[in-house]
Amino acid sequence: MESISRISSMLETARDLTLEAAQSAGSTRGSSTRGTTKDLPFPQVKKLLDSRNDREILEGLRRVISMMYRSKPCLPFFSSIVKNVASPNIEVKKLVYIYLLHYAESEPDLALLSINTIQKSLTDQNPQVRALALRVMSGIRVPVISQIVSLGIKRGSGDMSPYVRKAAALAIPKCYRLDTNTLPQLLEVLSILLGDKQYYVVGSAVMAFLEVCPDRIDIVHKHYRGILRKLVDMDEWSQLATLRLMTVYARKCFPRRTQRVRKSGTKGFYGDEGSDEGDAVSREEVQLLDPDLELLLKACKSLLLSRNSAVIIAVVRCFLHLGTPEYTDSAIGPLVALLRSPQDVQHIALYNVVSVCLIRPEAFVTYASHFFVHAADAPQVWRLKLEILTLIFPYCGIHMKGIILSELEHFTRASDGEQVRESVRAVGRCAQNDSTASTRCLRLLLNQISSPDGNLVAESLTVIRHLIQQDPSSHTRTIVRLAKNLDTTTNPEARASIIWLVGEFAGVADEENIAPDVLRILAKGFANESEAAKLQIVLLAAKVYVHHLNRTLGADGASQLSQQTPDPSDPSGPSGRADGNGFRDGSFSSDDPNTSAEPVPPKPEHPIAILWKYILLLARYDTSYDLRDRTRLYKALLAVPSSTQLASLVLLAPKPVPHTPSPSESRKGLLLGSGSLVIGEEAGPHGLPGYEALPDWVQEGAEPDPKLRDEAGAKVEYGGKKSVPAGEMLDTALKQHGDGVKSNGVGMSNKHKTLDNWLAEGEEEEEESEETDDEGEEESGEEEETGKEEETSEGEESEDEEEHERLVK
């Protein structure tokens, strides 16, 4: 009968397997032909859920979960699904838990009915079931069960399975969001989990710590070194959380200490050469690292080989804000290697490269070839590459500088107008950052003036104007060359830039002053100029007229002064009633009524004054009210000779040398790896919501006691004794004990001992212990029995020797 029942059960199992295989094959065929699975009617699905067969329940749950993820109403099945939470089948439990997590907030009363069953699952023999039950119980967002969830987390934190302890760590933030009053109990559990021996439990505990209580660094003190030892084994998400925590912890617990040391390579020809002043100049400040901070930096160094780009950027952030320049330089290579990643990763990596390059540009010189622009690069990528090339340009050698300028010159002839403008601006920043290359950059830009592309000419002239303002005295001939291009230049901005530059050089010597002639030529076509050019023409006319007034007043000042001082010996003085020009004053009448004064011919007006009046008339009837307002301002300033000095201060004031910052200069203070760094100024003055900058270094003397980081109250010395496996300890003990020891009176090493030898040695040790006991008893006895005991001991020794010889044989 037993064999028949066994055969029938096997046949039933085979039948179920065949039905499942046929059903899965049919569903696969149906999905391949129809593309979607047809939903069963509600009564049929409910019948499957209410069945006593696990296979049918599982099929019904799969149908419901499929409908749920297609946003179809599945709430009517709640009661039928919840009663299956006590099923022993783990597959059924998983699907029921998924459904509960999705709909528990909609039906809190029905969800509470399943809490007792889920609590019972916390004591299941299967650790996977226990972890899943804890995860589901913390995921049911019903505030009433917060204390139950807290007790479940406390029980899970002491579970033997690390999988369950990890689930307990991940459940802590969920419980905290349910009820913030459970924080004291959760902190106790969190402190236990941070000291766990399993790295994946510690990683989850660190993530929970950052979400629940990121300011309670006192909990981290005693687990600091243990977390660092487990850092390399954690998963990528845990490593990111740990690095963020440790960066903040280091700023709050380790003061920044510096020391002045002599620069390398500053010693004279002789060793004792140099004065105290030279020593003071040649010294530099070097950061001193705390031993625990250095332990953090060394633990992070191995993460530079990570396959995750976010981990590499987090390590670079740690080195940049905590470590010395040597640590930062060691991370440059892995950071640049991210440029080989897909385009989206490459774009984010370039923002971080630019941020590091703003602080340490010299570290990227060896990787300059990685930042050359490729034809397939997206606009946001080649913009950042051009910026990096301009940042490292002053620190490159002569050969690399030439290559970079040739690269930029090539892209000034590109078909994309935006790329042309950015390339020209990059050339200007290169000349601004390195004065030795400004001549070549200026020559390169002057060659672009004759280009038919108006955007290129306008951008080139803007950059040329900035370069000329840095050293105006050496660019007089450059102004003449630019003025010759006014006949061919049609871009309004370009013409305005040239006219402004000519006006700045309107006060040079007469033989090199071309401003009046340029003004005369421009006045002919004033009506056809753009508004920007008209404004600059009026400004040029005002500057030329001010210089003319200053020269005229300066030449006539001495003569006017001498005319005001009378000379008594001069017959044409006051006694002669003549004016300063030799003509008689009309107020004094002559004695002879027939005599009359001859008319004085008027002096011819200077051409510059005539040109100034002509420009005023042209601007007076212009359609631009801005131009008319400015013209009236200049006319009022120059109408009265006494205001000439004020006009000179307004129009001829020295202009500050323009400085064009790097486009990413506004991102300099933002944290590496943050979203605010990528968004830039659009994120606002304080970054995106949730952005937190690094805290300042703690003041020396205000840091916590380093003894708090000692594990188990004992000080850990770096490079001290490490844990040795038991097998290695046994081998060491055998080597120390065995080589020179004799066994049973025969010189034999431990390497050649047999099992009999080991047994004989054990018996010998036991007999020796018995002998020592007998000797103690003999000493406490009478002196008369001493001889007999000695004979007995000799007999025993002879018997022992015979026994040893027999065992050896």
Side-chain angles (χ1 to χ4, degrees):
M1 294 298 292
E2 292 179 359
S3 61
I4 294 173
S5 62
R6 189 180 299 111
I7 291 171
S8 64
S9 63
M10 291 174 63
L11 290 174
E12 184 67 24
T13 305
R15 176 178 173 277
D16 292 341
L17 291 174
T18 305
L19 289 173
E20 288 181 5
Q23 188 176 2
S24 62
S27 63
T28 304
R29 192 182 302 111
S31 63
S32 61
T33 55
R34 296 188 299 273
T36 55
T37 304
K38 186 177 180 181
D39 293 334
L40 292 177
F42 177 79
Q44 193 170 350
V45 176
K46 189 171 179 61
K47 183 179 178 181
L48 290 174
L49 295 173
D50 294 337
S51 174
R52 295 186 178 182
N53 190 350
D54 287 346
R55 182 174 59 82
E56 293 180 355
I57 295 173
L58 195 60
E59 176 62 23
L61 286 170
R62 286 172 179 167
R63 295 275 182 175
V64 173
I65 298 299
S66 175
M67 293 168 61
M68 185 178 72
Y69 282 109
R70 282 183 284 144
S71 301
K72 293 192 175 182
C74 300
L75 201 57
F77 303 110
F78 197 92
S79 57
S80 300
I81 292 176
V82 168
K83 68 181 182 181
N84 291 313
V85 74
S87 174
N89 192 334
I90 189 171
E91 296 295 330
V92 174
K93 274 191 174 183
K94 285 182 180 179
L95 294 178
V96 172
Y97 287 161
I98 291 172
Y99 183 86
L100 272 175
L101 289 173
H102 196 273
Y103 284 108
E105 200 168 0
S106 302
E107 291 288 339
D109 297 333
L110 291 175
L112 288 176
L113 296 177
S114 61
I115 291 297
N116 291 332
T117 308
I118 297 174
Q119 273 188 296
K120 291 179 182 178
S121 299
L122 292 175
T123 58
D124 195 275
Q125 293 182 354
N126 191 345
Q128 191 175 5
V129 175
R130 297 199 300 270
L132 192 59
L134 185 56
R135 178 187 171 191
V136 173
M137 191 166 62
S138 61
I140 297 176
R141 294 182 291 273
V142 180
V144 182
I145 63 170
S146 59
Q147 293 299 328
I148 300 175
V149 176
S150 177
L151 292 174
I153 292 173
K154 187 174 183 180
R155 175 182 290 182
S157 65
D159 198 278
M160 294 294 293
S161 173
Y163 188 73
V164 181
R165 299 200 297 273
K166 179 180 179 180
L170 293 174
I172 290 176
K174 301 176 184 177
C175 182
Y176 179 72
R177 285 194 291 268
L178 278 179
D179 186 7
T180 56
N181 295 325
T182 58
L183 183 60
Q185 301 95 312
L186 296 179
L187 289 179
E188 295 178 5
V189 176
L190 195 57
S191 179
I192 296 171
L193 293 175
L194 284 173
D196 200 278
K197 294 182 179 180
Q198 297 294 333
Y199 57 88
Y200 43 87
V201 178
V202 175
S204 302
V206 169
M207 289 191 283
F209 175 85
L210 288 175
E211 190 166 351
V212 174
C213 52
D215 297 329
R216 290 292 304 274
I217 59 171
D218 55 306
I219 302 177
V220 185
H221 289 321
K222 58 182 177 181
H223 308 299
Y224 174 78
R225 293 166 184 159
I227 293 174
L228 293 183
R229 285 196 297 269
K230 302 177 184 72
L231 177 62
V232 70
D233 296 321
M234 295 179 184
D235 61 280
E236 286 87 351
W237 294 104
S238 301
Q239 286 173 348
L240 290 173
T242 305
L243 288 173
R244 187 164 72 250
L245 169 63
M246 290 304 166
T247 306
V248 176
Y249 180 88
R251 282 293 188 99
K252 291 184 177 181
C253 298
F254 303 125
R256 184 178 178 85
R257 299 186 179 95
T258 57
Q259 181 182 5
R260 295 186 64 85
V261 297
R262 184 189 297 272
K263 288 184 180 179
S264 58
T266 58
K267 208 169 186 180
F269 184 78
Y270 299 102
D272 55 351
E273 217 175 56
S275 61
D276 295 338
E277 296 179 359
D279 291 346
V281 173
S282 63
R283 289 181 177 274
E284 61 179 353
E285 284 192 357
V286 178
Q287 183 181 357
L288 297 178
L289 295 178
D290 189 273
D292 282 327
L293 178 56
E294 194 167 5
L295 181 66
L296 167 62
L297 298 175
K298 289 180 179 178
C300 295
K301 210 164 189 177
S302 59
L303 299 183
L304 291 172
L305 304 176
S306 175
R307 61 184 178 181
N308 192 303
S309 56
V311 175
I312 295 175
I313 292 176
V315 174
V316 176
R317 176 182 63 206
C318 186
F319 286 172
L320 184 67
H321 297 294
L322 301 180
T324 57
E326 289 76 16
Y327 279 100
T328 305
D329 294 344
S330 65
I332 298 299
L335 182 61
V336 174
L338 296 179
L339 300 182
R340 305 190 190 100
S341 305
Q343 197 170 30
D344 52 347
V345 178
Q346 182 183 6
H347 184 204
I348 302 301
L350 277 170
Y351 277 113
N352 292 276
V353 170
V354 171
S355 185
V356 179
C357 194
L358 287 169
I359 300 174
R360 285 195 58 79
E362 63 274 9
F364 290 88
V365 172
T366 54
Y367 305 98
S369 59
H370 291 75
F371 306 112
F372 289 154
V373 180
H374 302 287
D377 285 342
Q380 61 269 20
V381 172
W382 57 253
R383 280 194 189 94
L384 294 172
K385 285 187 175 182
L386 290 178
E387 183 178 359
I388 295 171
L389 289 176
T390 58
L391 289 173
I392 66 175
F393 181 80
Y395 303 93
C396 295
I398 298 177
H399 178 66
M400 184 54 68
K401 286 181 181 178
I403 294 176
I404 292 175
L405 289 178
S406 301
E407 184 83 4
L408 296 176
E409 184 180 6
H410 169 74
F411 285 105
T412 57
R413 297 189 292 269
S415 58
D416 186 5
E418 187 63 28
Q419 194 171 26
V420 169
R421 284 191 290 271
E422 289 296 331
S423 301
V424 172
R425 291 169 186 166
V427 173
R429 290 198 298 272
C430 288
Q432 174 184 284
N433 297 334
D434 187 6
S435 58
T436 59
S438 59
T439 305
R440 179 176 177 180
C441 294
L442 183 61
R443 192 184 310 118
L444 189 153
L445 293 171
L446 288 173
N447 294 333
Q448 310 298 332
I449 296 176
S450 57
S451 172
D453 187 359
N455 294 327
L456 173 60
V457 175
E459 199 63 44
S460 300
L461 282 169
T462 303
V463 177
I464 289 172
R465 177 167 58 85
H466 292 170
L467 295 179
I468 290 176
Q469 283 183 262
Q470 293 179 3
D471 188 12
S473 58
S474 61
H475 291 289
T476 307
R477 294 185 179 274
T478 306
I479 299 299
V480 177
R481 180 176 176 179
L482 291 175
K484 292 179 180 178
N485 286 276
L486 280 173
D487 296 335
T488 57
T489 304
T490 58
N491 187 277
E493 297 297 329
R495 294 181 65 84
S497 295
I498 295 176
I499 296 170
W500 185 88
L501 284 172
V502 172
E504 286 297 301
F505 285 81
V508 297
D510 291 338
E511 60 273 7
E512 296 180 355
N513 192 356
I514 61 171
D517 287 335
V518 172
L519 179 62
R520 177 180 56 81
I521 296 171
L522 291 173
K524 296 178 181 179
F526 183 85
N528 300 324
E529 296 284 353
S530 63
E531 184 178 353
K534 287 179 181 178
L535 289 171
Q536 295 302 325
I537 291 173
V538 172
L539 180 60
L540 172 63
K543 290 180 179 178
V544 171
Y545 187 59
V546 166
H547 283 296
H548 167 69
L549 291 179
N550 289 336
R551 284 193 296 269
T552 304
L553 293 175
D556 296 343
S559 61
Q560 290 177 1
L561 185 63
S562 61
Q563 291 166 6
Q564 293 173 2
T565 306
D567 189 0
S569 62
D570 190 2
S572 61
S575 59
R577 292 179 174 83
D579 60 6
N581 294 323
F583 297 99
R584 185 179 297 274
D585 192 353
S587 59
F588 296 97
S589 58
S590 174
D591 296 336
D592 188 1
N594 295 326
T595 61
S596 61
E598 297 181 0
V600 180
K603 285 185 179 181
E605 197 169 5
H606 198 278
I608 292 180
I610 298 173
L611 196 56
W612 166 243
K613 293 179 179 179
Y614 179 65
I615 295 295
L616 291 178
L617 289 173
L618 290 174
R620 180 179 180 181
Y621 299 102
D622 196 83
T623 57
S624 173
Y625 62 86
D626 189 17
L627 179 63
R628 296 197 301 269
D629 290 344
R630 291 200 183 192
T631 305
R632 282 194 293 270
L633 171 65
Y634 298 149
K635 183 180 179 180
L637 276 175
L638 300 173
V640 184
S642 60
S643 63
T644 305
Q645 188 175 3
L646 177 61
S648 300
L649 292 175
V650 173
L651 298 174
L652 306 180
K655 309 299 187 296
V657 178
H659 177 77
T660 306
S662 186
S664 299
E665 193 74 29
S666 59
R667 295 185 174 96
K668 191 171 183 179
L670 297 175
L671 204 59
L672 286 183
S674 61
S676 300
L677 178 67
V678 178
I679 301 299
E681 295 179 352
E682 298 176 4
H686 303 293
L688 294 172
Y691 171 78
E692 293 182 3
L694 279 180
D696 296 330
W697 291 93
V698 65
Q699 295 294 329
E700 191 167 1
E703 73 275 11
D705 190 0
K707 294 181 180 179
L708 295 173
R709 290 185 287 273
D710 294 344
E711 296 175 340
K715 188 175 180 180
V716 178
E717 295 183 0
Y718 301 106
K721 294 182 179 180
K722 299 180 180 179
S723 57
V724 183
E728 187 176 343
M729 294 174 64
L730 182 59
D731 294 340
T732 306
L734 289 175
K735 287 179 182 178
Q736 294 176 355
H737 180 71
D739 291 338
V741 178
K742 291 186 178 182
S743 175
N744 296 330
V746 181
M748 185 182 298
S749 65
N750 290 331
K751 189 183 296 183
H752 303 289
K753 285 183 180 180
T754 61
L755 180 60
D756 295 335
N757 296 339
W758 285 106
L759 293 174
E761 187 176 359
E763 291 177 0
E764 183 180 0
E765 291 176 355
E766 291 177 0
E767 290 170 359
E768 287 177 357
S769 62
E770 291 176 358
E771 289 175 2
T772 54
D773 294 340
D774 294 341
E775 288 175 359
E777 293 176 358
E778 289 172 0
E779 289 176 358
S780 62
E782 297 179 354
E783 295 179 356
E784 296 177 355
E785 298 176 357
T786 304
K788 295 179 181 180
E789 289 174 357
E790 289 177 355
E791 292 176 359
T792 306
S793 62
E794 289 176 359
E796 289 177 356
E797 288 178 359
S798 62
E799 291 176 1
D800 291 340
E801 290 177 358
E802 292 176 0
E803 180 71 18
H804 287 312
E805 290 176 0
R806 183 179 63 80
L807 289 173
V808 170
K809 291 177 181 180

